Each structure stands twice: as C-alpha cells, then as structure tokens.
C-alpha cells in the first residue's frame, strides 16, 4: 500500500495518477490534511518517504508534480512515457502551440521542462497535431457538427472491456425496443440540427453489427431520411467483431454508402483470443476482412491491443505480420488499459514494472515500424487512465484514409451530438460560459451531456434523455 498525504485537495488528483503510473499494481490511498507541514508526503511500501515541501519547490501545482516525478524516477529507475501529463489528450497541447505559431523545437523543449515529456513522445505529438491541423482545416467548427450513434451490444463481453455494452443474449428481446428509443432520439437531434452542417457520422458501441441486417437497414434508412448528406465527409460503422459480420450486413452497409468500417481483431493469436473471451478464430478475422474487400469497402480500419495477458513481443510481431499481409487502410494500436469495470485481473499484466515496460515498449515500437512499412502514418493519439506502461493509443492511416471523427473527438473543436445508451454529447460553445455546477465559477466552452448507460433505463427514460439534450443542444 502506498499512502499519499496532501496539504490541499488540489494536489491529490495528479499525485495519485503519477504514483499509479509508476506503481500500477499497488493500491494507493489518499488523504488531505490541511494542517500538514508538507505540500505532499508519499509513503512507499519499502518504507521510503518522499517529501515535497517549500524547501524543494514553490506551491505551484506543476512544480509539485515535477518534483514528485523526479524523485519517483530516482527511486524506481523508470521514466514515464508522458512524464507528469495525466490527461487523455496530449496532442491538444501540441495543437495549441502549433496554432500559436510555435516552432517544433520550442515545443519539444517546453514539453520536457513543463511536463518531463521526452523528445520521442513530444515529436510524435507534434507530428500528429500537424497532420490533424491539415485534415481539419476545411471544417466549419461553428456551423458543423458530428453525430455518434451508440449500439451497446456485443456477441460477448471481452475481459478487458468496461464500455457501456452487454452481451446480446442478455438483451435480445429488447433490441427492437432499444431501436425504437434510439430512432426517437435521432429524430429529435435531426430536427434541432437542421440548420447545421453534418460532417461525420460514427456508429459505434458495443458492436453495431450484432444487429441483424434488417435492424441495421432500419437504423440506416432512418438516418438517411432524417439527416442531410450535403456536407457529410465521412460515415463510419465500427463493425468490430468478425463473428458478427455477414455478407448480408456488409451489403446493407454499402447500400447506405458507409465510407469507412472497422474490423477489430485485437490480436491474431488464437490463445489470446480464447483468454480474453473473444468467441471467434483468427481465420474468421481473415475471412471477414476478405469479405469486406469483396463487397467493395476501400477504407477498412483494424484495431490491435499491446499488452494483452500472456503475450510476448514475438506474439505482437506475428500479429503485425499477419495484419500487414491483409493490408488495412488504417491501424489503431492500443496500449491495454484496465478500468474498474473490467473483469481482467491486474496481476497478470504486471509481472513486474520493468518487464512490463520493456515488453510494451518493444510492442509499440514494432507497431510503429510496421505501420510505416505499410505506408500508414500516425494521425491521432489519446491516452486512458490505468493505461499499461503509461503509454498511449495511436491511430495510423494512409494519407487519404485518416478517420476525421477520431480526430474531432480528441481535439474537441467541433460539437459531437451523441444518441444511444451511455452516449456522451459534447457541445463546443463559441464563447465560454460559467461551468454548470461549478462552485468556483470556472468558465468552459465545452458542455457534456451523458445518456444513462443501462439499456432498459435508456428505453424507459428516452423522453428524459431528449429533454436533457434539448436543454443544451445549440444553446
């Protein structure tokens, strides 16, 4: 057990996440003591103590974070890939500096001095921000928007997953009722957004292709009827699990002019698929991919995860070799993140910090090398809490096949209106307003509105979801 004692509650969040990044398998407890003489005191399992006080730093939070980081690096002999950055969107910082006219070298120096981000990751963030800027320059942020449609069902729930989804067998009798509610919410969004420009649509989940071909047809026909395609640049369906893909479903998607799909193996190792609860074979992945090409899809993404239990670098190398042979148009490489809702145990993932870091680092480097060999270039990046090795998730794509929606959800420059159970709407305002519910009168330009996660609650409370959304939609 690691104990953190902070003089102010404002220091606790960053201190906790920095400690968890260095010691992912350790329990960390936090307490606030306003009478404490030190800004932060950390008691480590080996009875070592790290003290951050006025003799070391000023009371500025970032200085406290940097000093704590430097001391933990000395104690552990480890460096964190992203230094003291705890947010999920490090490329936003690079984008801000790029838009302010900074030079690359100035940003790299600043990233180290302000956050202990090394040259390699700072360079990656800068290059991605540069590509994002090029892709997004044609979008109208004020009048344009994106639409997310959530399908919260999967053939089975993977052991690492904590998304708002459930096995189809559990909800099979309520799928049509769910679609009834979803279409009602979509109709409301379409009516309220008729004077806006719809730029991208993303149907995700869950696994949207757990729906039957007829149910997919019903959903996509409704979208065609209610929303204009005049300004639409991209229409993605996350087909996801290969055991949910059929030719009939793929032809239904193509009929409605879906421009981009995902077929997500996560691993091409059968032992791993069995371990994590994926009820399909490696051959089914290859068959689904070949079928999608046969039907005519020319923009296919594949997802893989680095750090799945039991996998060594050689397993990742073999997975990448097989994916390279298939030749997807984009590849998203995730570093495994275990959240509270996931069933997988942390012990297997953290053999020891040093070994885990080396294996993950090797996997991520090999993925980057393979992507470059496939003429895929990094175009978006994000991080998650409890991400293994303190690394990141990176999307690689051919020059003209980058996922615009993926960039928009990371950079938060355009409103994303979301429908479905567990869907999160983000409305970007032109001018800042007082943050709703904030006692400290903080200002914000981003309004979040969450739908309830449970399928049955979403169905029964759909009118409430619509009313809540209406309060802020194009406020």
């Amino acid at each position: 057990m690691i104990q953190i004692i902070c003089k102010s509650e404002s220091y606790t969040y960053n201190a906790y996440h920095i400690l968890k990044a260095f010691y992912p398998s350790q329990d960390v407890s936090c307490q606030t003591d306003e009478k404490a003489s030190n800004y932060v005191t950390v008691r480590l399992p080996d009875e070592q103590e790290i003290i951050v006080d006025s003799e070391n730093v000023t009371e500025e939070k970032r200085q406290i974070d940097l000093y704590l980081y430097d001391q933990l690096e000395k104690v552990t002999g480890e460096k964190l890939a992203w230094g003291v950055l705890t947010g999920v969107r490090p490329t936003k910082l690079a984008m801000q500096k790029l838009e302010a006219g900074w030079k690359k070298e100035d940003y790299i120096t600043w990233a180290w001095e302000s956050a202990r981000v090394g040259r390699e990751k700072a360079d990656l963030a800068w290059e991605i921000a540069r590509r994002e800027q090029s892709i997004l320059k044609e979008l109208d942020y004020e009048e344009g928007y994106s639409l997310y449609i959530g399908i919260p069902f999967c053939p089975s729930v993977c052991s690492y997953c904590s998304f708002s989804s459930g096995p189809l067998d559990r909800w099979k009798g309520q799928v049509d009722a769910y679609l009834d509610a979803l279409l009602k919410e979509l109709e409301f969004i379409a009516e309220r957004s008729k004077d806006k420009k719809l730029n991208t649509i993303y149907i995700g989940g869950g696994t949207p292709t757990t729906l039957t071909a007829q149910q997919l047809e019903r959903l996509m026909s409704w979208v065609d009827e209610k929303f204009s395609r005049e300004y639409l640049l991209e229409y993605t369906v996350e087909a996801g699990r290969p055991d949910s893909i059929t030719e009939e479903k793929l032809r239904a998607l193509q009929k409605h002019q879906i421009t981009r799909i995902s077929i997500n193996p996560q691993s091409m190792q059968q032992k791993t698929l069995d371990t994590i609860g994926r009820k399909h074979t490696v051959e089914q992945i290859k068959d689904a991919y070949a079928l999608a090409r046969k039907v005519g899809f020319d923009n296919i993404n594949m997802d893989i995860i680095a750090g799945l239990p039991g996998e060594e670098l050689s397993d990742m190398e073999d997975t990448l070799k097989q994916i390279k042979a298939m030749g997807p148009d984009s590849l998203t490489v995730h570093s495994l993140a275990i959240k509270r809702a996931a069933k997988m145990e942390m012990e297997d993932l953290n053999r020891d910090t040093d070994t885990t870091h080396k294996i993950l680092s090797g996997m991520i480097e090999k993925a980057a090398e393979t992507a470059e060999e496939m003429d895929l270039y990094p175009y978006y990046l994000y991080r998650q809490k409890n991400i293994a090795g303190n690394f990141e998730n990176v999307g690689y794509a051919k020059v003209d096949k980058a996922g615009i929606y993926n960039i928009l959800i990371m950079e938060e420059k355009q409103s994303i209106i979301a429908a479905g159970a567990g869907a999160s709407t983000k409305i970007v305002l032109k001018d800042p307003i007082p943050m709703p519910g904030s006692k400290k009168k903080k200002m914000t330009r981003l309004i979040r509105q969450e739908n309830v996660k449970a399928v049955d609650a979403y169905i029964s409370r759909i009118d409430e979801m619509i009313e809540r959304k209406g309060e802020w939609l194009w406020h």
Side-chain angles (χ1 to χ4, degrees):
M1 168 71 78
I2 295 174
Q3 186 179 19
I4 302 174
I5 303 170
C6 296
K7 186 178 181 67
S8 169
E9 189 176 344
S10 64
Y11 306 146
T12 303
Y13 180 88
N14 284 6
Y16 172 84
H17 285 288
I18 292 169
L19 261 295
K20 284 297 289 183
F22 276 103
Y23 296 94
S25 59
Q26 289 281 345
D27 290 329
V28 178
S29 71
C30 301
Q31 69 179 78
T32 302
D33 182 0
E34 295 179 356
K35 296 180 180 179
S37 56
N38 305 319
Y39 300 140
V40 179
T41 301
V42 177
R43 292 172 183 154
L44 299 171
D46 54 6
E47 298 186 359
Q48 290 190 74
E49 198 169 69
I50 296 175
I51 294 174
V52 188
D53 60 20
S54 57
E55 293 184 12
N56 309 128
V57 296
T58 66
E59 199 170 351
E60 184 185 351
K61 284 171 61 177
R62 181 47 55 95
Q63 293 302 314
I64 291 171
D65 293 346
L66 291 174
Y67 184 82
L68 179 58
Y69 175 90
D70 290 341
Q71 296 308 305
L72 286 167
E73 184 183 311
K74 289 178 184 177
V75 169
T76 64
E78 296 289 338
K79 295 179 183 292
L80 299 182
W82 291 94
V84 300
L85 293 184
T86 58
V88 300
R89 297 175 174 85
T91 54
K92 283 190 71 174
L93 297 173
M95 180 69 84
Q96 289 167 5
K97 303 306 182 187
L98 181 65
E99 291 177 336
W102 282 37
K103 301 296 184 183
K104 180 177 178 178
E105 283 302 317
D106 294 333
Y107 165 75
I108 288 174
T109 300
W110 173 85
W112 170 255
E113 292 178 349
S114 68
R116 295 298 186 265
V117 178
R119 172 171 286 272
E120 179 185 356
K121 297 302 180 186
D123 184 79
L124 176 63
W126 184 266
E127 289 305 311
I128 287 174
R130 188 174 58 80
R131 288 193 180 97
E132 288 178 336
Q133 187 182 54
S134 175
I135 292 167
L136 299 181
K137 65 183 179 182
E138 302 300 327
L139 270 68
D140 184 337
Y141 293 144
E142 290 185 23
E143 296 302 318
Y145 75 104
S146 290
L147 175 67
Y148 175 84
I149 303 171
I151 306 298
F153 312 114
C154 280
S156 63
V157 178
C158 300
S159 56
Y160 56 79
C161 184
S162 64
F163 286 120
S164 303
S165 58
L168 183 62
D169 286 348
R170 179 184 174 190
W171 299 107
K172 206 161 190 175
Q174 292 184 272
V175 175
D176 286 326
Y178 177 79
L179 286 177
D180 290 341
L182 179 62
L183 268 52
K184 186 175 184 178
E185 185 176 17
L186 287 170
E187 183 174 28
F188 171 80
I189 293 170
E191 175 60 29
R192 289 292 292 268
S193 306
K194 61 186 178 184
D195 295 327
K196 299 292 183 178
K197 300 174 182 178
L198 178 57
N199 292 150
T200 76
I201 302 173
Y202 192 102
I203 303 180
T207 305
T209 43
T210 51
L211 298 181
T212 66
Q214 292 72 30
Q215 289 166 338
L216 283 169
E217 176 70 32
R218 181 186 176 201
L219 171 61
M220 293 183 296
S221 294
W222 190 256
V223 172
D224 289 347
E225 178 185 338
K226 300 298 178 182
F227 293 89
S228 169
R229 285 180 180 249
E230 183 179 357
Y231 301 99
L232 193 65
L233 302 174
E234 177 183 273
Y235 194 161
T236 299
V237 173
E238 192 172 351
R241 294 275 290 267
D243 47 338
S244 69
I245 295 172
T246 66
E247 183 169 351
E248 186 182 14
K249 293 177 186 180
L250 288 172
R251 292 200 180 281
L253 299 183
Q254 191 184 51
K255 173 185 172 183
H256 291 276
Q257 300 175 297
I258 305 306
T259 61
R260 182 175 180 271
I261 65 169
S262 289
I263 298 172
N264 300 332
Q266 313 305 7
S267 172
M268 297 295 285
Q269 308 305 301
Q270 191 61 53
K271 63 176 184 179
T272 306
L273 297 177
D274 295 340
T275 296
I276 64 178
R278 304 274 288 192
K279 307 296 185 182
H280 61 79
T281 66
V282 170
E283 286 306 311
Q284 282 179 287
I285 298 168
K286 295 178 179 178
D287 290 345
Y289 180 86
L291 183 59
R293 288 299 196 201
K294 173 189 168 186
V295 168
F297 286 98
D298 63 357
N299 192 349
I300 301 177
N301 173 73
M302 301 188 93
D303 283 10
I304 58 173
I305 299 177
L308 287 169
E311 287 209 348
E312 304 293 340
L313 177 57
S314 58
D315 296 306
M316 174 61 89
E317 289 173 337
D318 184 66
T319 287
L320 290 165
K321 180 181 178 181
Q322 293 188 61
I323 286 176
K324 182 180 178 182
M326 286 186 280
D329 304 283
S330 59
L331 174 68
T332 306
V333 181
H334 299 267
S335 297
L336 182 64
I338 298 298
K339 302 181 183 179
R340 291 185 181 91
K343 295 182 292 183
M344 188 181 293
E345 296 294 332
M346 286 294 288
E347 284 78 1
D348 185 73
L349 305 174
N350 297 291
R351 288 164 271 204
D352 63 68
T353 304
D354 187 53
T355 300
T356 299
H357 188 278
K358 286 179 179 177
I359 292 172
L360 273 166
S361 181
M363 288 178 170
I364 290 166
E365 288 176 14
K366 185 61 180 177
E369 290 173 11
T370 304
E372 187 172 3
E373 291 167 4
M374 296 168 64
D375 292 326
L376 307 179
Y377 302 97
Y379 76 94
Y380 91 110
L381 178 155
Y382 70 102
R383 303 177 68 232
Q384 293 164 273
K385 296 294 185 293
N386 300 324
I387 197 165
N390 194 241
F391 287 108
E392 67 283 326
N393 307 317
V394 179
Y396 301 88
K398 292 180 181 177
V399 172
D400 58 343
K401 299 295 176 68
I404 300 171
Y405 175 87
N406 290 332
I407 298 172
L408 288 170
I409 202 166
M410 288 301 114
E411 292 303 323
E412 297 180 329
K413 289 180 174 294
Q414 187 186 73
S415 295
I416 296 177
I417 313 304
S424 177
T425 289
K426 297 178 183 179
I427 298 176
V428 180
L429 305 174
K430 182 178 180 180
D431 300 307
I433 64 169
M435 185 180 293
S438 173
K439 297 179 181 179
K440 297 182 180 180
K441 297 183 179 179
K442 291 183 179 179
M443 303 296 284
T444 183
R445 293 183 62 246
L446 188 67
I447 298 296
R448 299 173 187 267
Q449 192 272 318
E450 310 280 345
N451 281 353
V452 292
K453 293 182 178 181
V455 172
D456 50 357
Y458 174 78
I459 294 169
S460 64
R461 296 170 59 187
I462 186 58
D463 291 335
E464 179 189 339
M465 297 303 99
I466 289 172
E467 184 178 351
R468 285 164 54 182
K469 187 173 266 83
E471 182 181 356
W472 288 107
L473 197 54
W474 313 128
H475 178 72

